[in-house]
Amino acid sequence: MQSRRGLLFLGLSLLGVSLGGIGCDVGETSNLTGGQGGEGGAQSTMGMGGSTPGVGGAGGAGASSASSSSSGSGSSSSSGTGGSGGAPPVPPGGYYVQGNKIYDESGNVHVFRGLARPSHEWTPQGENISLADFQKIKGWGANVTRLSLNQGFWLPGHVRYDGQYQQNIDQAIQWAHQAGLDVILDLHWSDRGDMNNWDTKQQRMADQNSVKFWQSVAEKYKNDGRVLFELYNEPRDVSWDVWRSGGDSGEGFQAVGMQQLYDTVRATGAQNLVLIGGLDWAFDLSGVTQNRIQGTNIVYVTHPYDFESKQPGTWEQKFGFLAATDPVFITEFGSFDCSTNYTSQLLDYAKQRGMSWTGWAWYVKGCDFPSLITNWNGDPSAAGQVVKAALQNP
């Protein structure tokens, strides 16, 4: 669908249609249908210091300092294998990483399985967000939901700032927790570092305003370990060095790297799990071993979608290999033609390797979004039936 995305871009450009709302690698349809968004997929979530019972061994993740330099080479240990020993910190009520596993406070291995819940990225109030909605997500068997955010709505002084937005997110988190769900906060749309940029959307990489965003978000939720922080939705078209350490985005703004975003979160005292997507619209994690983000409680993110270049034969090389040393979380996936084969294969693959996942998306829009539900009652689409079955039979 990357090729389809290019054709869509060209055709719409010739027609004079703005792609400002497009956010993910699938050639998202957000503002193409008018009105209410939708982005179409995705090529297109304090320190108690505490003990970590039941994990065995002193090795694992916890060696690197959270204050490590953003210009580090990535050669020292990260969330996965290295380290001088010692247990990583546990955020209040939350989770920690050791080796290639995520553990809960009691030292039990935890695998996240759930559903992405878009709409807060394109409208401050979200669409159809309610306690009942999250209860339906829980009713499918999910233990986590993923909320997509817009830094323009969040940041005071931004041209798109909405004074109610932070309260809306607070309410959504409260409802999700009440329904029994953990929450991933995903920085989905950004502004190239320009507080006067009305056209917030999916960019190549985070920017200086993303640092302000994460400083605020981490400070706000650092005492809730059931909130996970996904630093940037779908990095793309930058080098691994820029991905890690920041630099020229190639699109007229200075990108901020994942190490600085991570360090910003930890500087607040937040020890919440930090989720970090790779390159190629977050699909590719092949460069992580040479460009590790230094720190603790780190989970790496991939977004497999049914494109020619992202078929099952590529999975092991692009992200599956990393599950041997680090937790891997598939925070988006799907197909765009109402088929189910890709989704079925991916969920089987994730189960075999103990990967966490959230399916895209609990939103009513159709196969090309791709949607997992056909209405707000939560009736599943064909792909949704596959995802629901996987949730109910982990």
Side-chain angles (χ1 to χ4, degrees):
M1 181 70 177
Q2 288 168 321
S3 59
R4 279 182 278 165
R5 172 180 169 275
L7 291 173
L8 175 65
F9 185 95
L10 175 61
L12 292 174
S13 296
L14 292 172
L15 291 172
V17 177
S18 170
L19 297 185
I22 290 181
C24 295
D25 184 20
V26 297
E28 276 116 302
T29 55
S30 63
N31 292 326
L32 304 184
T33 56
Q36 318 203 15
E39 34 195 312
Q43 305 226 87
S44 62
T45 194
M46 154 157 189
M48 295 174 65
S51 61
T52 52
V55 297
S64 301
S65 167
S67 61
S68 56
S69 168
S70 62
S71 61
S73 67
S75 59
S76 60
S77 69
S78 175
S79 60
T81 56
S84 58
V90 185
Y95 305 91
Y96 64 92
V97 168
Q98 198 154 33
N100 67 343
K101 298 289 192 296
I102 299 169
Y103 296 87
D104 64 21
E105 281 189 309
S106 299
N108 301 308
V109 173
H110 185 83
V111 178
F112 293 94
R113 298 182 182 92
L115 300 165
R117 183 60 178 90
S119 71
H120 280 113
E121 64 268 49
W122 62 74
T123 181
Q125 67 273 19
E127 293 182 33
N128 208 59
I129 303 291
S130 67
L131 172 59
D133 192 56
F134 289 116
Q135 288 172 331
K136 290 169 186 170
I137 291 174
K138 179 66 175 179
W140 272 30
N143 61 19
V144 65
T145 190
R146 178 178 182 258
L147 304 180
S148 304
L149 305 189
N150 183 324
Q151 72 187 28
F153 294 155
W154 185 278
L155 292 173
H158 198 286
V159 67
R160 298 213 68 182
Y161 174 67
D162 185 285
Q164 188 64 32
Y165 189 61
Q166 293 190 29
Q167 295 177 20
N168 294 340
I169 302 304
D170 283 344
Q171 181 65 83
I173 292 171
Q174 180 182 337
W175 280 332
H177 284 347
Q178 189 175 341
L181 299 167
D182 297 327
V183 176
I184 300 166
L185 297 182
D186 147 52
L187 177 51
H188 212 80
W189 285 10
S190 56
D191 56 35
R192 303 186 178 209
D194 181 1
M195 296 285 276
N196 292 313
N197 183 2
W198 182 264
D199 188 23
T200 55
K201 59 184 180 182
Q202 172 70 39
Q203 308 290 350
R204 290 186 175 192
M205 193 58 195
D207 55 64
Q208 286 296 333
N209 291 335
S210 309
V211 176
K212 300 174 186 176
F213 171 86
W214 280 117
Q215 184 175 34
S216 175
V217 171
E219 184 67 42
K220 189 175 184 66
Y221 298 113
K222 66 182 179 182
N223 291 316
D224 184 355
R226 297 182 63 197
V227 175
L228 288 58
F229 302 147
E230 188 171 349
L231 295 182
Y232 200 71
N233 178 44
E234 290 182 338
R236 60 181 172 87
D237 300 327
V238 297
S239 68
W240 280 104
D241 183 66
V242 171
W243 175 87
R244 184 189 68 236
S245 302
D248 185 357
S249 69
E251 285 192 332
F253 70 97
Q254 284 296 110
V256 169
M258 293 296 189
Q259 187 68 61
Q260 184 177 353
L261 295 178
Y262 170 88
D263 290 345
T264 296
V265 168
R266 293 291 182 247
T268 69
Q271 300 297 339
N272 309 53
L273 293 189
V274 169
L275 279 54
I276 302 177
L279 288 177
D280 190 10
W281 305 86
F283 173 70
D284 182 11
L285 295 175
S286 63
V288 165
T289 51
Q290 291 77 41
N291 297 277
R292 287 188 172 277
I293 305 308
Q294 299 179 51
T296 60
N297 290 346
I298 292 171
V299 179
Y300 288 101
V301 163
T302 184
H303 287 184
Y305 277 93
D306 190 5
F307 297 108
E308 183 178 352
S309 63
K310 300 180 180 180
Q311 293 303 303
T314 69
W315 294 347
E316 193 66 25
Q317 178 186 9
K318 291 298 186 178
F319 65 88
F321 77 95
L322 194 61
T325 56
D326 299 79
V328 174
F329 200 139
I330 306 168
T331 59
E332 291 188 23
F333 60 88
S335 297
F336 312 100
D337 57 2
C338 295
S339 64
T340 62
N341 187 52
Y342 190 88
T343 294
S344 296
Q345 291 183 76
L346 181 66
L347 292 177
D348 287 343
Y349 186 84
K351 185 174 184 178
Q352 292 168 14
R353 288 157 178 77
M355 296 178 183
S356 296
W357 52 267
T358 50
W360 185 274
W362 185 274
Y363 187 78
V364 180
K365 199 167 179 68
C367 296
D368 59 351
F369 188 66
S371 298
L372 297 174
I373 54 174
T374 60
N375 54 56
W376 290 115
N377 291 326
D379 293 328
S381 63
Q385 292 174 18
V386 173
V387 171
K388 184 177 182 179
L391 288 170
Q392 296 182 344
N393 297 280

